[in-house]
Amino acid sequence: MAPDSRPVRRRLDPTVGKARAMVGALLGLKTTGKNRVVENPPLILVGCSGGPDSLALAAVCAFFARRGEVRVGAVVVDHQMQDGSAEVARNTAAQLRELGLDPVLVRTVELDYDGVGPEAAARAARFGALEAAALEVGASNVLLGHTLDDQAESVLLGLARGSGTRSLAGMRERRGIYLRPFLGLRREETLEICDALELQPWHDPANQDPAYLRVRVRHGVIPFLQDELGPGIAESLARSAGILGRDADFLDELAAAEYGKLAERGGAAGAAGAENTGEKGDLGQIWLPEAALRGLAPALRMRVLALAAVELGGVQPSLERLAAAEKLLAREGSAGPVQLAGKVAVYRQSRNQAGPHEGPGYGKLVLRRNT
């Protein structure tokens, strides 16, 4: 009897199958059955550092590219924070090309430490590079390899900083062009995927450096909580983030609706005499009626103030700065200005101020972009 000459199919690793199901669910693609080749498949990009999480994600996405329903490329960002980072980026790009990803882009960034630490500066530079790359090649989405463990760490960091609901909600599965399909996957499972698919991940030495708060949370706080409270603490923290995320999304929707009704926009002239042009290109100030702000629930009021600051080009203000801005509504003491992050100031027109008590700035909080 002639030996069976049919090729032996390797058994699918269950963790790889689980990861494929997560990516497929988020992209609306099937992992089984006959593939449906698309004439002009959409392009997605994977943000890949070369570490186990993002490399595993890239390999899983390559499966969908081979089925012909989507094109998959990647962006490797070199932050230049360590010696040899350029070589790491080149090696990562080469491994991604071997997986069949195309295009594979390498972007070298310069960090801007304008009042922020290295982690925040690297994050800002990374997302700037990812967005520019997606725009350049016409990608519909950028996939990121954050895991359940990253989510748990984010919640604990938010608690330590006394942050609000949005911060405690952690990272969203969908936000703009960004997708995070692995938020239900443990970090150790991405290592299993790399082993199963014979990948060679890069292990960032910064992930072992206790100088970083997130590293201390990862290797000190979470293991301590697990020892004291029992296993499953990471899953519980991630589950809390999911619950708070839905609450935060609802509050954000309400705040956006109120902001749309209240915000008046104008150029960079003085508040009392500025013409309310409404032209975004000339936007230098935003006015918010004090009486209407006082009538909002505190959770909405803080969000409306934050939306104005961000629209003027600032960054999300801290709760402390927002609370200081909110105190201006009491019309007691100083009329400001209160400085928010990102060179945005907020003040009110004082009743004791000389000149007519009228114009677009009177009876309103004025948020101004400092030039």
Side-chain angles (χ1 to χ4, degrees), residues 36-42 67-71:
R36 177 176 55 86
V37 178
V38 178
E39 184 175 350
N40 292 303
R67 288 174 62 89
E69 298 177 57
V70 65
R71 291 183 295 138

Side-chain angles (χ1 to χ4, degrees), residues 40-358:
N40 292 303
L43 172 64
I44 63 172
L45 296 176
V46 177
C48 187
S49 66
D53 303 344
S54 58
L55 190 59
L57 177 59
V60 168
C61 288
F63 163 79
F64 293 97
R66 291 192 295 271
R67 288 174 62 89
E69 298 177 57
V70 65
R71 291 183 295 138
V72 181
V75 185
V76 182
V77 179
D78 176 11
H79 301 86
Q80 304 185 88
M81 295 179 69
Q82 299 167 347
D83 292 338
S85 63
E87 183 180 1
V88 170
R90 286 194 300 271
N91 292 340
T92 299
Q95 195 166 185
L96 293 170
R97 294 186 182 104
E98 289 176 3
L99 288 171
L101 273 61
D102 181 49
V104 175
L105 310 173
V106 177
R107 294 291 182 263
T108 302
V109 296
E110 300 286 343
L111 304 192
D112 181 1
Y113 295 97
D114 185 15
V116 298
E119 290 177 282
R123 183 180 186 277
R126 178 167 61 254
F127 277 95
L130 292 174
E131 289 177 18
L135 184 63
E136 176 186 330
V137 300
S140 58
N141 291 104
V142 177
L143 276 63
L144 305 174
H146 296 113
T147 65
L148 184 148
D149 297 88
D150 295 311
Q151 187 75 296
E153 293 160 13
S154 294
V155 175
L156 278 180
L157 287 168
L159 285 169
R161 294 166 178 150
S163 301
T165 309
R166 172 51 64 199
S167 180
L168 295 179
M171 295 171 285
R172 302 185 195 182
E173 190 176 56
R174 294 179 179 269
R175 184 171 187 179
I177 65 171
Y178 297 105
L179 303 177
R180 294 180 173 91
F182 280 3
L183 287 181
L185 203 68
R186 297 301 303 266
R187 184 174 292 127
E188 63 189 28
E189 291 179 296
T190 66
L191 288 167
E192 292 173 10
I193 293 171
C194 289
D195 287 342
L197 299 180
E198 299 179 350
L199 305 174
Q200 301 297 321
W202 171 65
H203 296 279
D204 186 352
N207 290 332
Q208 304 296 324
D209 187 350
Y212 295 105
L213 179 58
R214 182 176 287 272
V215 173
R216 298 199 296 274
V217 168
R218 179 177 303 173
H219 297 294
V221 177
I222 288 183
F224 172 79
L225 291 176
Q226 189 164 288
D227 290 342
E228 295 298 319
L229 302 179
I233 189 67
E235 289 86 351
S236 297
L237 288 167
R239 187 164 56 249
S240 296
I243 296 168
L244 289 169
R246 290 190 288 273
D247 293 349
D249 288 343
F250 178 64
L251 289 171
D252 287 347
E253 289 177 10
L254 294 179
E258 292 295 337
Y259 181 64
K261 291 186 290 186
L262 299 180
E264 300 175 35
R265 300 165 179 85
E275 179 186 356
N276 187 9
T277 63
E279 294 293 332
K280 193 172 182 74
D282 189 39
L283 183 61
Q285 297 185 129
I286 292 176
W287 303 296
L288 299 169
E290 291 184 44
L293 282 176
R294 291 191 197 98
L296 295 177
L300 296 183
R301 187 162 57 238
M302 299 281 261
R303 283 172 164 80
V304 166
L305 288 169
L307 285 170
V310 171
E311 185 179 354
L312 285 169
V315 297
Q316 176 68 30
S318 68
L319 287 177
E320 291 79 9
R321 291 290 84 199
L322 286 174
E326 189 181 33
K327 285 182 180 179
L328 296 174
L329 295 171
R331 284 197 165 266
E332 297 174 356
S334 172
V338 171
Q339 299 296 330
L340 304 180
K343 300 180 181 179
V344 173
V346 54
Y347 65 93
R348 61 175 171 81
Q349 184 178 358
S350 171
R351 285 193 175 95
N352 297 325
Q353 180 177 322
H357 292 169
E358 57 186 14

